[in-house]
Every structure is written in C-alpha cells, then in structure tokens.
Amino acid sequence: MSKILIVEDDENILELEKDYIEASNMEAQGATNGNDGLELALNNDYDLILLDVMLPGINGFDICKKIRETKNTPVIFVTAKREEIDKISGLGFGADDYIVKPFSPAELVARIQAHINRYKTLTSQNEQELFKNTGEAFVGDKEITLTKKEFEVLYILASHPNTIYSKAELFESVWGYDSLGDTSTLTVHINRLRDKIKEADENTDCIKTIWGRGYKFK
C-alpha cells in the first residue's frame, strides 16, 4: 500500500485530503506545521509527499530543498497564490508537480497515483551507468551534471537501449500523466543532454533521433 505524507496547516483541508487518499486504498499521514513535516519526511519512507507552500515554521520551499538533499521521493506542492505558482515554475525547488487550491479531489488522487507509478517504474528499472539514487551520470570516467528532468529522460532511454520512444511517451513519462505543455520542452532537454555528453566525450553519440518515430539510446 502506498504511503503519503500530507503537510498542510489547515486541518480541514488535511482531513479532506486524507479521506480521499485513504478511500483510494492508500495510507496517509499528516503534519500541520513545517517543522513536524520536515522531520517526518526525513525520518520515514513515503511514496509521495503532498506539501503546502505556506506553513508555520519552515515553508514548503525550504522543506522540499531539504528533502532533495537525501531523497528522490515525489513531491507535489499545494498552493493557492499566483506568486507562489510563479516561483514553483521558475525556480528549481525540486518538486515534481503542483496543484492549485481549490482542486478537485479526483484530480488530486489521479496526480498522486500517476507520480507514484512513474517513480516506481523508474526506480525498478535496471541500473547500469546511471545511479538513480544519487542522480549521477557518467560518460566513461567523467561525471556529467544533469538537471532532474534531464536525468529522468536519459534514465528512461538508457535503461532500454535500442527501444524507440516517441516524443509523447517520453514527455508523459517525465512531465506527468496529463502532458501539460508541449513536446518542444522535451526537444530542448534532448539537445542539452547531447551537448553535455559531447562535452564529456566528443566521440560519444548515444541518443539517436529516429525520424518520424522518436528517440532511442544506442
């Protein structure tokens, strides 16, 4: 059974989220302030963390940064303010997604399940030159520095060499169940990956474009 941590200072919202999560056959644990939420997040294993931005004690942004120092647990921010959405979109806090209050409980549960399924798929795949737990990637003996999304794209491709993934498949796997946005975002990440790999070894050309079909790792 999947275990979810909810960090939310509004007890009514917290109980509502718990009810819908538990009705979907998942276990939910709650904290009503940032300090308790951070302690629970760091000292327990959760399948996903639902994290309000504005909290007493430590805010959600700082909690997420602390979590990302040691864990890759999926994090979904919950927010009600436009300026917070702008911060989430523009800065690298390490969250996987965000949802805006007021939200549909069905949408909340769907997003939670989608991120848990994606994370389990990624972590269960065979690990070779990429170290999923640490986010490290090497070309020969040279480590390359990747963003979280760049790593996830490369991880999916490298875990299944010579398997062709369409742009839509890769985009949905990395950016979420409903593919908000467009696949040009994926193209940018593929180009950055190629540049970083080439910088480490100019003779390495492992991400192939299969015209009309997508990409594969050779």
Side-chain angles (χ1 to χ4, degrees), residues 179-197:
S179 296
L180 295 171
D182 62 71
T183 56
S184 62
T185 300
L186 172 65
T187 304
V188 171
H189 282 68
I190 290 286
N191 290 337
R192 287 177 180 168
L193 278 170
R194 284 173 168 157
D195 289 343
K196 290 179 179 182
I197 291 168

Side-chain angles (χ1 to χ4, degrees), residues 16-28 109 113:
L16 178 66
E17 292 171 344
K18 282 184 69 175
D19 287 345
Y20 276 93
I21 288 169
E22 290 172 350
S24 301
N25 297 315
M26 295 181 282
E27 181 182 346
V109 170
Q113 291 175 331

